């Protein structure tokens, strides 16, 4: 997905999250207890600030979270979030994504940053105010999760080993995910797994992030125990 598209999603989802916080900052966020919308916005504001600081600093050295400007609490937060978002968007639009950059996950292509900001904000927008996640963005998010976050789960934390076939039903997107003794790996494409989970791409992304249960929005064929193993073992 092009960086400009990531930035567009970042802006749209940030606006929805901000609007929800301004309407009811004390509304509970059930998927991120014990946060309310204000606490969720504060978290996202901090992540935005950190990544903006890194991009503005440049690719020469890594910027740590504690080195970035902290987001304020209370009544100042919404306006600060909005102003910082504008700075983040400008930084993302102007950065050189063709060269490698330092990240918390090691050296990565510059495209890491617009993608990470779009994905972080999309899932947390859903946490805060709900609503569908764009299918193309969701496919991109599943790719990111399987390549970046899921491999952080140790194999010995997985309650069962086997393969999960994820199949998006509203857009082209299929993944064969292996839960093994060495952790989580994946490959793209249609293949038979020990269990298949079929659903909309946005719902599959939310399932991968342990935001939604395997309910009637999905079709399941095979060993459901592997889906439980993901839920309990891939908690990143």
């Amino acid at each position: 997905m092009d960086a400009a598209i990531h930035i567009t999603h970042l802006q749209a989802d940030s606006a929805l999250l901000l609007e929800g916080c301004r309407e009811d900052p004390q509304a509970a966020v059930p998927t991120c207890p014990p946060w309310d919308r204000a606490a969720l916005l504060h978290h996202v504001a901090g992540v935005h600030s950190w990544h903006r600081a890194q991009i503005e600093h440049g690719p020469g050295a890594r910027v740590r979270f504690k080195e970035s400007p902290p987001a304020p609490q209370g009544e100042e937060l919404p306006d600060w979030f909005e102003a910082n978002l504008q700075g983040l968007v400008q930084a993302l639009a102007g950065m050189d994504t063709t060269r490698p950059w330092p990240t918390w996950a090691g050296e990565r292509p510059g495209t890491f940053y617009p993608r990470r900001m779009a994905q972080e904000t999309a899932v947390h927008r859903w946490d805060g105010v709900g609503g569908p996640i764009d299918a193309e963005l969701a496919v991109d998010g599943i790719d990111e999760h399987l390549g970046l976050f899921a491999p952080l789960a140790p194999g010995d934390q997985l309650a069962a080993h086997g393969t999960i076939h994820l199949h998006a039903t509203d857009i082209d997107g299929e993944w064969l995910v292996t839960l093994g003794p060495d952790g989580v790996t994946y490959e793209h494409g249609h293949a038979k797994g020990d269990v298949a989970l079929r659903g909309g791409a946005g719902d599959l992304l939310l399932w991968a992030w342990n935001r939604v249960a395997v309910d009637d929005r999905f079709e399941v064929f095979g060993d459901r125990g592997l889906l439980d193993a993901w839920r309990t073992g891939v908690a990143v």
Side-chain angles (χ1 to χ4, degrees), residues 39 42 46 54 56 58 72 75 81 95 135 142-143 151-152 160 168-169 191 223 233:
H42 185 266
Q54 176 66 74
E56 292 179 342
E75 295 180 357
F81 176 90
M95 73 179 294
I142 295 168
D143 282 344
L152 299 176
T169 54
D223 183 2

Side-chain angles (χ1 to χ4, degrees), residues 170-197:
D170 55 346
I171 193 173
D172 185 22
E174 294 187 70
W175 303 262
L176 185 69
V177 182
T178 299
L179 310 184
D182 296 326
V184 180
T185 59
Y186 82 104
E187 58 188 72
H188 289 107
H190 182 78
K192 182 174 176 57
D194 297 311
V195 63
L197 182 66

Side-chain angles (χ1 to χ4, degrees), residues 58-81:
R62 182 181 168 195
V63 174
R64 307 285 174 165
F65 180 81
K66 64 182 179 181
E67 298 171 326
S68 59
Q73 302 276 3
E75 295 180 357
E76 297 178 18
L77 175 61
D79 288 347
W80 191 96
F81 176 90

Side-chain angles (χ1 to χ4, degrees), residues 49-217:
S49 178
W50 178 25
H51 288 69
R52 175 187 175 186
Q54 176 66 74
I55 298 164
E56 292 179 342
H57 180 76
R62 182 181 168 195
V63 174
R64 307 285 174 165
F65 180 81
K66 64 182 179 181
E67 298 171 326
S68 59
Q73 302 276 3
E75 295 180 357
E76 297 178 18
L77 175 61
D79 288 347
W80 191 96
F81 176 90
E82 190 170 31
N84 185 68
L85 173 66
Q86 293 175 358
L88 173 61
V89 167
Q90 291 174 358
L92 288 168
M95 73 179 294
D96 182 1
T97 58
T98 65
R99 64 174 299 171
W101 282 69
T103 79
W104 57 263
E107 190 174 83
R108 299 275 172 166
T111 50
F112 171 95
Y113 282 100
R115 177 194 229 185
R116 183 81 291 276
M117 289 298 86
Q119 295 297 338
E120 175 85 7
T121 307
V123 173
H124 281 318
R125 184 270 298 163
W126 182 89
D127 288 325
V129 299
I133 294 176
D134 176 81
E136 289 187 8
L137 184 68
V139 167
D140 179 69
I142 295 168
D143 282 344
E144 185 202 43
H145 192 310
L146 293 176
L148 185 64
F149 291 98
L152 299 176
D156 58 8
Q157 282 188 189
L158 301 171
H161 294 161
T163 53
I164 302 172
H165 176 217
L166 301 177
H167 188 164
T169 54
D170 55 346
I171 193 173
D172 185 22
E174 294 187 70
W175 303 262
L176 185 69
V177 182
T178 299
L179 310 184
D182 296 326
V184 180
T185 59
Y186 82 104
E187 58 188 72
H188 289 107
H190 182 78
K192 182 174 176 57
D194 297 311
V195 63
L197 182 66
R198 291 169 48 89
D203 291 330
L204 289 175
L205 176 65
L206 293 171
W207 173 82
W209 279 110
N210 289 319
R211 289 321 204 259
V212 297
V214 178
D215 55 20
D216 58 8
R217 77 189 81 189

Side-chain angles (χ1 to χ4, degrees), residues 21 25-27 29 32 34-45 73 77:
C21 185
Q26 295 182 322
V29 181
C32 299
W35 286 351
D36 57 16
R37 285 180 179 172
L40 177 64
L41 190 72
H42 185 266
H43 166 75
V44 177
Q73 302 276 3
L77 175 61

